Amino acid sequence: MKNYSMPYMKLIPVMLCFFVMGFVDLVGIASNYVKSELHLTDSEANIFPSLVFFWFLIFSVPAGMLMNRIGRKGTVQISLLITFFALLIPIFGNSFFAMLAAFSLLGIGNAFLQTSLNPLLSNIVNGKVLASALTFGQFIKAIASFLAPYIAMWGATEAIPSFGLGWRALFPIYIIVNIIAIFLLKGTSIQEEKAEGRASTFGECFALLKTPFILFCFLGIMCHVGIDVGTNTTAPKILMERLGMTLADAGFATSLYFIFRTAGCLAGSFLLNKMPARNLFSASVAFMLIAMAGLFFAQSQTAIYIFISLIGLGNANMFPIIFSQAMLYMPSKKNEISGLLIMGLFGGTIFPLVMGIASDLAGQSGAIGIMTVGVVYLVFYATRIRR
């Protein structure tokens, strides 16, 4: 295997791993197809995205501790292997328990991947460029996110040869990308700094939450991911509820969200080199506040699409800004902080569960109300960002 030693060549396998990281977002559109196939309620269908992000609570901190032992690259490689098996299961079955197993493994693999890949990138780029590089990684991740609904839709309508898999045709396609990422990363040499002192214990990792700014960052990640997963799963339901659209047609709303989130990430990777992070963060939160207020009342397809697009733009740069702020705040604890913040992706479990209950009681406006709570917290966090 050829060794890729030039700096820009090292970014290629790392960015491909960011693409694999985006596979976790397929759970949004997948849960809608599974709901339709298995005749589930909103609360039951929302178990799937909630289950995916539940594993971030369990495995993120252990992944951070594992990095201190086998390195960041080694932990990324383990995550890619787990993701491979997660994508393999739905090819052979689509029962409720098969999908539970697949989404569980997808969540576990992604917990290891997100915990280790972000700090691994800091071994290639660092300092003020880190936020911009992380944003570009999120741009690559978002490409995988918005492609998933399209591939699922094409497979469901037999627009591509799906070999009887229907919407599940997206799994073998993503498996191929995952395999390429495994071999490219294996052949890439990345120099990692040595962890200082002994490896941190669980207690020492969680003790970092006693630092107010780290706690604010942790809660910010929870809200960001909750809004992300919430929009991912709820956007089609709003169109189906208010306009009577079919899932095949309404599924475009999920892709629209990711298209604008992708565009926002690409723009953010440049803007963060030109303006203070606080300014971009504040503008992003303003977009989401406007969108949430609008979605409460929007009844036309155009209006709903506009507000979903605004959420995509607004939520695009939340993660890299919050993550880089925390990493730069305590650079000697990058592995531990990464584990803690990725544990915050557990917000992707809490929000869909509460949103499912709220939507069963009050329609999709109830789900929008839960997401609005997350946006309000991000308004508070914007006042705490360091310039």
Side-chain angles (χ1 to χ4, degrees):
M1 177 70 67
K2 183 178 178 180
N3 189 283
Y4 302 100
S5 58
M6 298 179 68
Y8 70 90
M9 291 299 290
K10 293 180 181 181
L11 284 173
I12 294 176
V14 171
M15 288 301 160
L16 188 58
C17 290
F18 271 101
F19 189 89
V20 174
M21 187 189 292
F23 293 177
V24 73
D25 290 320
L26 67 82
V27 69
I29 192 64
S31 65
N32 284 296
Y33 278 104
V34 174
K35 175 189 174 184
S36 177
E37 289 179 348
L38 302 181
H39 309 291
L40 306 176
T41 65
D42 270 353
S43 298
E44 292 170 335
N46 280 9
I47 289 174
F48 293 109
S50 295
L51 183 64
V52 166
F53 290 94
F54 167 77
W55 298 110
F56 285 88
L57 176 67
I58 305 299
F59 285 100
S60 295
V61 170
M65 297 170 66
L66 181 64
M67 282 193 291
N68 287 332
R69 297 182 180 277
I70 69 171
R72 295 162 185 171
K73 179 182 171 182
T75 308
V76 171
Q77 290 174 309
I78 289 175
S79 72
L80 294 175
L81 186 61
I82 297 173
T83 301
F84 170 80
F85 288 107
L87 297 171
L88 195 63
I89 292 175
I91 297 176
F92 299 101
N94 64 338
S95 69
F96 184 81
F97 291 105
M99 300 309 291
L100 281 179
F103 290 148
S104 291
L105 282 177
L106 186 63
I108 293 169
N110 215 264
F112 278 87
L113 182 58
Q114 297 216 36
T115 302
S116 54
L117 187 59
N118 292 297
L120 181 64
L121 180 59
S122 73
N123 291 124
I124 302 174
V125 296
N126 50 46
K128 292 184 178 180
V129 183
L130 180 59
S132 177
L134 285 171
T135 302
F136 188 75
Q138 291 297 305
F139 162 69
I140 300 298
K141 173 180 180 287
I143 294 176
S145 300
F146 85 73
L147 282 178
Y150 276 119
I151 298 173
M153 178 179 64
W154 291 336
T157 58
E158 301 298 331
I160 59 173
S162 62
F163 306 102
L165 291 173
W167 69 270
R168 289 177 291 127
L170 66 89
F171 290 101
I173 293 173
Y174 277 1
I175 277 181
I176 294 173
V177 178
N178 189 78
I179 292 173
I180 295 173
I182 289 174
F183 284 101
L184 280 182
L185 185 64
K186 180 178 175 59
T188 303
S189 175
I190 300 176
Q191 188 67 36
E192 302 181 32
E193 69 264 22
K194 297 286 186 180
E196 296 183 6
R198 61 177 177 78
S200 298
T201 64
F202 269 96
E204 289 169 339
C205 287
F206 284 107
L208 293 175
L209 291 175
K210 295 179 181 178
T211 304
F213 187 72
I214 299 300
L215 177 60
F216 293 152
C217 292
F218 174 80
L219 296 175
I221 293 291
M222 286 192 69
C223 291
H224 153 69
V225 176
I227 295 165
D228 185 64
V229 178
T231 305
N232 188 0
T233 57
T234 301
K237 296 174 185 176
I238 295 172
L239 292 165
M240 294 164 68
E241 177 185 85
R242 298 181 184 177
L243 302 177
M245 295 175 67
T246 64
L247 176 57
D249 293 329
F252 173 71
T254 298
S255 286
L256 185 67
Y257 167 73
F258 284 117
I259 288 171
F260 276 86
R261 200 185 78 172
T262 303
C265 286
L266 182 59
S269 66
F270 295 102
L271 290 174
L272 284 170
N273 286 323
K274 304 292 183 182
M275 62 189 297
R278 178 185 292 180
N279 292 0
L280 180 59
F281 194 94
S282 298
S284 299
V285 172
F287 283 151
M288 289 197 287
L289 271 178
I290 294 170
M292 294 300 170
L295 283 177
F296 274 112
F297 307 103
Q299 295 294 328
S300 71
Q301 181 175 330
T302 300
I304 292 172
Y305 280 165
I306 289 173
F307 293 130
I308 290 172
S309 301
L310 280 177
I311 299 174
L313 281 175
N315 213 25
N317 297 296
M318 298 286 109
F319 181 88
I321 292 176
I322 296 172
F323 197 91
S324 62
Q325 287 274 312
M327 297 275 278
L328 295 174
Y329 186 78
M330 298 182 71
S332 64
K333 294 290 185 180
K334 285 182 179 179
N335 290 352
E336 292 84 351
I337 286 176
S338 179
L340 277 176
L341 294 190
I342 298 304
M343 187 177 70
L345 270 65
F346 180 63
T349 292
I350 297 174
F351 273 71
L353 284 176
V354 179
M355 288 169 63
I357 295 171
S359 62
D360 284 342
L361 295 174
Q364 298 311 316
S365 292
I368 295 168
I370 301 301
M371 288 193 291
T372 303
V373 174
V375 176
V376 170
Y377 175 79
L378 292 175
V379 172
F380 162 78
Y381 179 81
T383 66
R384 296 294 186 270
I385 294 179
R386 302 161 66 208
R387 293 185 182 276

